[in-house]
Amino acid sequence: QVLTNSSTAGTLEFTDFTIISASRTSQTTEFSTTSGTFQNAHTATITPKLSTSKFLINYMPVRIYVNASCDALVKWNDGTNDSESVFRLAAPSAAGGYNAPCLQFWHNSSLTAGASATFTCKYKNQSGGSHSILIGDNGNESVIVIMEVVL
């Protein structure tokens, strides 16, 4: 089930969905930036079966390092549209440190059935400046699972 806004103002409802396809990929790449502009990180590809599908992206980077005095913003993009959810990750201590999250992103935009679609993780330093954000790890596996769903 997915939680969505209902037609009644101020209320939410659960909507059932069915998974009709899925794609899993893993990568052993590390990305780092101090930029306040979204940068590209891991990618994953899926070929949608239907043009009316939506996508649930499970992102399991081996680590996300957030330097002190900044927050990381993480989202996914299909080349045109961003995921509805954007995660803001704070440094776990005053000295900065590592997060090992499993993040889920809801992608509500429809894609062309039968055409391969590449999703790209986008990340940035919330405030820009000299503080580093690091995603992934050279040599250790980060996993992405994309599920194509119909509501």
Side-chain angles (χ1 to χ4, degrees):
Q1 291 184 322
V2 65
L3 188 62
T4 58
N5 286 320
S6 73
S7 56
T8 306
T11 61
L12 300 171
E13 62 188 16
F14 283 99
T15 304
D16 289 329
F17 65 82
T18 302
I19 299 169
I20 61 171
S21 74
S23 172
R24 178 197 184 276
T25 189
S26 65
Q27 296 170 7
T28 56
T29 309
E30 182 175 297
F31 302 90
S32 180
T33 191
T34 58
S35 177
T37 302
F38 279 104
Q39 304 296 306
N40 293 342
H42 297 108
T43 61
T45 302
I46 191 168
T47 301
K49 295 184 180 300
L50 301 173
S51 61
T52 54
S53 299
K54 307 303 178 199
F55 301 89
L56 184 61
I57 302 166
N58 290 307
Y59 184 40
M60 297 155 277
V62 65
R63 67 178 174 173
I64 296 179
Y65 177 82
V66 182
N67 206 329
S69 303
C70 70
D71 290 350
L73 292 183
V74 182
K75 65 181 179 179
W76 282 78
N77 182 279
D78 66 14
T80 304
N81 301 293
D82 289 335
S83 55
E84 283 190 359
S85 44
V86 176
F87 282 91
R88 182 174 179 171
L89 303 170
S93 75
Y98 293 96
N99 295 281
C102 178
L103 305 173
Q104 287 190 324
F105 297 84
W106 180 251
H107 197 76
N108 201 36
S109 299
S110 297
L111 301 172
T112 304
S116 178
T118 299
F119 287 86
T120 303
C121 176
K122 303 278 192 172
Y123 73 112
K124 72 175 185 173
N125 177 330
Q126 167 77 15
S127 57
S130 61
H131 301 289
S132 296
I133 306 296
L134 182 143
I135 292 183
D137 182 54
N138 290 322
N140 291 299
E141 190 174 76
S142 293
V143 176
I144 305 106
V145 177
I146 301 176
M147 293 177 279
E148 178 182 7
V149 302
V150 290
L151 301 177

